[in-house]
Each structure stands twice: as structure tokens, then as C-alpha cells.
């Protein structure tokens, strides 16, 4: 998994993806998802590290079966809220309050 963390005016933004998806674009209907180096590129980490970052985040974007399933298994993403875009899992986390 690749993990990128950055502070924004909205708080901690975490982007994580399956490493083999970097540079790929997934399209389905009106939805287009591009896994760019600029946004998702970062350090290669294990699932536990990625999940810990999502837990600390205010906003998280996750792409890929391995990444999203790790977040679902850890209870930080509800499986019913994950999207499948062109066969690839995508989930977003937004903490309010």
C-alpha cells in the first residue's frame, strides 16, 4: 500500500491505495477515478500503518481492494459505503465535528 498524509485547512488528509494502482484510471458511467502520483503517491506501508493513519485523519481517500478491505476489516469504513468503480474499490472517510 502507498500512503500519503498532509495537513490541510480542513485537517489531516490521508490518501492510500494499492501500490499497483498508481497511475491507473478507472471509469464507470459518469464516475472517473485517477490514482495520481501527486495525490496518492507516498510511502509504502503495511495495512496496520495505513489503517492507523485513516483513524487519525479528518478526511481519507482509499483506492484498491487491499486498502479498502483493510479499512473495512478494521472497522473504519462501512463496507456498504464503498464504491466499485470499473472493478476497483474506492472509499472516502469524512469526520465531522
Amino acid at each position: 500500500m502507498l500512503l500519503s498524509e498532509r495537513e490541510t485547512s480542513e485537517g489531516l488528509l490521508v490518501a492510500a491505495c494499492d501500490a499497483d494502482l498508481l497511475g491507473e484510471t478507472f471509469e464507470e458511467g459518469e464516475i472517473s477515478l485517477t490514482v495520481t502520483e501527486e495525490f496518492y503517491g507516498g510511502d509504502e506501508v503495511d495495512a496496520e500503518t495505513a489503517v492507523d493513519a485513516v483513524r487519525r485523519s479528518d478526511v481519507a481517500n482509499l483506492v484498491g481492494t487491499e486498502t479498502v478491505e483493510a479499512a473495512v476489516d478494521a472497522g473504519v469504513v462501512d463496507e456498504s459505503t464503498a464504491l466499485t468503480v470499473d472493478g476497483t474499490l474506492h472509499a472516502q472517510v469524512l469526520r465531522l465535528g
Side-chain angles (χ1 to χ4, degrees):
M1 276 177 221
L2 296 177
L3 174 69
S4 172
E5 299 181 61
R6 59 183 72 76
E7 284 294 332
T8 71
S9 60
E10 305 300 320
L12 179 63
L13 169 64
V14 167
C17 70
D18 294 6
D20 62 333
L21 300 182
L22 199 62
E24 298 291 328
T25 297
F26 303 94
E27 296 180 335
E28 189 167 316
E30 294 184 15
I31 298 172
S32 179
L33 174 64
T34 301
V35 187
T36 64
E37 171 76 32
E38 178 180 270
F39 190 76
Y40 289 96
D43 297 326
E44 192 152 344
V45 299
D46 60 18
E48 184 178 336
T49 301
V51 167
D52 286 344
V54 173
R55 284 191 175 116
R56 291 184 284 105
S57 73
D58 296 293
V59 178
N61 287 280
L62 312 173
V63 180
T65 302
E66 180 185 3
T67 302
V68 174
E69 286 184 355
V72 168
D73 290 347
V76 295
V77 168
D78 182 337
E79 185 174 21
S80 69
T81 65
L83 299 175
T84 301
V85 180
D86 193 18
T88 300
L89 287 176
H90 172 58
Q92 295 181 319
V93 176
L94 174 62
R95 299 197 199 293
L96 302 173

